[in-house]
Amino acid sequence: MVKFCVVATGLSLAGCSSIIDKHVEYSYVKPDSYPVLKAVGYAPLSSQPGSSDTEKMLMAIKVSKLEAYRELAEQVYGHRLSASTTVQGAIAQNDGLRSQVQGLIRGAKVMKSYAVGDIYTTELELDMKRVHDLYIGEVKPRKVERVTYY
């Protein structure tokens, strides 16, 4: 009899959860302020592969832009570092350091791109308001305001 009561109670509670309906009201969360991140990438013109100065210039433009994007990714996502040191007889034998940056940058804007001497420079700007607007368009983060059961 006790087993029957436990099973009956469990089934009745499970059945009630599908009968009770609810309405959830959300409000969207908006940050108080939006920072503007800036990054600069550099590339030496003379070190670029290419048979002509024009080809070297185009490669330097690409490299400097990629370097600026890498710097933005460091600011947004952080920089992963791995270090190792081998010590033998209280003397450092081998010291190594690896770094890695990984992330997705959307909404960055090229502010300036120019050559000064043998260095090509690209300046990027990432307005976090623009990033927020792009993000809101896809994800729509929200906060529960009120739940009504009926």
Side-chain angles (χ1 to χ4, degrees), residues 13-34:
L13 288 176
C16 288
S17 66
S18 63
I19 295 171
I20 297 176
D21 202 3
K22 63 183 176 186
H23 174 71
V24 181
E25 293 180 28
Y26 294 98
S27 69
Y28 294 98
V29 180
K30 186 175 179 183
D32 295 332
S33 64
Y34 300 93

Side-chain angles (χ1 to χ4, degrees), residues 120-139:
Y120 199 88
T121 306
T122 300
E123 297 179 15
L124 292 181
E125 186 174 275
L126 182 61
D127 185 351
M128 295 309 279
K129 167 87 170 96
R130 185 172 180 199
V131 173
H132 179 265
D133 293 343
L134 289 170
Y135 175 73
I136 289 296
E138 287 184 16
V139 177

